[in-house]
Amino acid sequence: MRHSNDYRKLGRTSSHRKALLKNLSISLIKYEKIKTGLFKSKELQSHIEKLITQAKVGDSNAHRQVFAKLQDKSATKKLVTEIAPRFSSRSGGYTSIHRVQNRKGDASPMAIIGFVGQ
């Protein structure tokens, strides 16, 4: 049973998982659509939506908070100035996940995650 399990561990240590989500977030912001494993994309979805909600405020403090999580100047600037203003009228649901074919090598379920309206 999965009672009180808030997140997927993804078979990694906590520092590795944090770095993975940070790098996936930067890639998603940079390319606005990426293909990755289904369970990684589900974890990324909750992570990136929290960042967008913070970035929607648009002030310098929000900019600092987003940069503290991403640690990438260009991705932070793009998120705060371009992506977050697109979702100013939405209260959530900024990303969508679409399943695609399983990976050929190990039959792992794959998915494409991208911003809504792409």
Side-chain angles (χ1 to χ4, degrees):
M1 286 183 271
R2 294 195 69 243
H3 297 298
S4 300
N5 292 347
D6 294 334
Y7 57 90
R8 294 170 183 85
K9 293 185 179 180
L10 301 173
R12 290 162 170 81
T13 61
S14 60
S15 58
H16 190 183
R17 189 170 47 252
K18 184 178 174 184
L20 172 76
L21 289 174
K22 182 175 73 169
N23 288 327
L24 284 173
S25 299
I26 291 169
S27 295
L28 181 61
I29 292 166
K30 186 176 179 182
Y31 300 110
E32 299 196 7
K33 185 186 287 189
I34 57 172
K35 182 178 178 183
T36 184
L38 178 65
F39 300 109
K40 286 182 192 176
S41 64
K42 287 184 177 184
E43 279 300 306
L44 175 62
Q45 185 174 31
S46 67
H47 187 260
I48 197 77
E49 294 206 1
K50 290 173 189 170
L51 285 176
I52 293 172
T53 302
Q54 281 183 337
K56 276 184 7 180
V57 177
D59 60 354
S60 61
N61 193 37
H63 201 97
R64 276 194 293 270
Q65 287 174 341
V66 171
F67 181 74
K69 296 275 175 73
L70 290 178
Q71 298 174 349
D72 185 88
K73 287 183 182 181
S74 61
T76 302
K77 184 175 181 182
K78 183 174 180 180
L79 181 64
V80 173
T81 59
E82 295 177 27
I83 296 172
R86 274 194 255 162
F87 301 115
S88 61
S89 62
R90 292 180 76 99
S91 61
Y94 313 118
T95 58
S96 62
I97 296 175
H98 301 286
R99 287 177 174 233
V100 293
Q101 291 179 337
N102 291 348
R103 190 165 36 215
K104 191 173 183 180
D106 60 354
S108 178
M110 300 297 285
I112 294 177
I113 182 169
F115 294 114
V116 173
Q118 291 295 334

